[in-house]
Amino acid sequence: MAGPLDLQQIGKYPVERHLGSGATSEVYLCHDTFAKRNVAVKVVSTALFNHPGHGKLYKKLFVTEASLAGRLKHPHICEIYDAVADEALHYIVMEYVDGGTLEQFCSPEHLLPVDKVVEIVFKCTRALEFAHKMGITHRDIKPANILYAGETDVKISDFGAALIASGDSTQIAAIGSPSYMSPQQVKEHPLDHRTDIYSMGVVMYHLLAGRLPFEASNNFSLIYQVTNVEPQPPSAYRPEIPRTIDNIVRRAMAKSLEHRYAEWEEFSLDLAAVFRGEAAGS
């Protein structure tokens, strides 16, 4: 985008300040004078929908996220309150979370304690199981899309790339960040919730180890590693990580669907067992 617009008002929402920029959107902190709360408003440039190469994709991302307004009510999912598409502006009104994203805890000098990581990932697995039961696969799980609300409180956001089980079966290829994509996603195979389980495993790895499981100088090399190379366990970079946690990460990140967690509940139960101080399953 051309950068933040100097907006004073978006629809019925007075603008307080510009919060940040995404690839296709600008996010503003606004005040909802009716509900008496602050909201985050994501504005998508209407001009993008006319882009010769990606216009259809941008429109689909917007429509997908807008279609979830009022549907995903869960304590660990960023709520979408409203979506508006008019001539000048297309925007989505969301819950405002002021703690930044989990990206801030992914560098070696700012890591969270291991037990906090386990609790955060547990909350994410419950939220994603809730979405899965509603027929929604996120497909772009990464630290930048998990908002931090303090302590171990998190909210998953950015459902624009979601695959929604409905009559519409068209897949958007090449959405997401290759570092967090499952082998099935980088190979553009049909996807289900198990791609999110893999991505959540990579997020857990990143939060524990302070680095990604695969690091490469280009996407081709990265995709090769994602599909063929077994990463070092997180404990290789942080010795205090117990083997039970290494095992959970390994199972979430298993390349083959047969070896990966088949259901969110299994992933959650193993995390809960670790949190209670019990040995996790196999």
Side-chain angles (χ1 to χ4, degrees), residues 125-204:
T125 65
R126 305 312 295 144
L128 289 164
E129 180 178 26
F130 173 82
H132 169 55
K133 284 187 168 154
M134 292 187 67
I136 297 163
T137 298
H138 189 291
R139 291 203 303 175
D140 195 14
I141 292 293
K142 58 185 177 186
N145 285 341
I146 304 171
L147 304 175
Y148 182 64
E151 288 305 306
T152 60
D153 203 12
V154 285
K155 290 181 185 278
I156 293 171
S157 71
D158 267 303
F159 279 82
L163 192 64
I164 300 174
S166 65
D168 174 20
S169 60
T170 52
Q171 295 231 9
I172 306 174
I175 281 291
S177 314
S179 296
Y180 300 93
M181 283 185 184
S182 67
Q184 292 72 31
Q185 194 171 7
V186 298
K187 291 176 183 168
E188 297 187 13
H189 289 178
L191 301 176
D192 61 17
H193 65 285
R194 291 171 296 180
T195 194
D196 284 351
I197 288 177
Y198 177 94
S199 300
M200 201 64 233
V202 181
V203 170
M204 186 174 177

Side-chain angles (χ1 to χ4, degrees), residues 102 105-108 111-114 117-118 120-122 124-125 141-143 146 179-180 196-215 225 229-238 241-242 245-255 267 271:
L102 288 187
F105 305 116
C106 288
S107 60
L111 297 180
L112 292 167
V114 172
V117 172
V118 170
I120 282 171
V121 175
F122 173 80
C124 291
T125 65
I141 292 293
K142 58 185 177 186
I146 304 171
S179 296
Y180 300 93
D196 284 351
I197 288 177
Y198 177 94
S199 300
M200 201 64 233
V202 181
V203 170
M204 186 174 177
Y205 188 110
H206 204 169
L207 290 168
L208 288 167
R211 53 167 289 156
L212 282 161
F214 306 111
E215 293 184 342
Q225 290 182 53
V229 177
E230 283 303 321
Q232 291 280 351
S235 62
Y237 307 102
R238 198 171 172 188
I241 293 172
I245 290 179
D246 278 344
N247 290 343
I248 291 172
V249 173
R250 187 174 69 234
R251 191 166 167 205
M253 284 182 60
K255 296 189 189 302
F267 194 173
L271 290 164

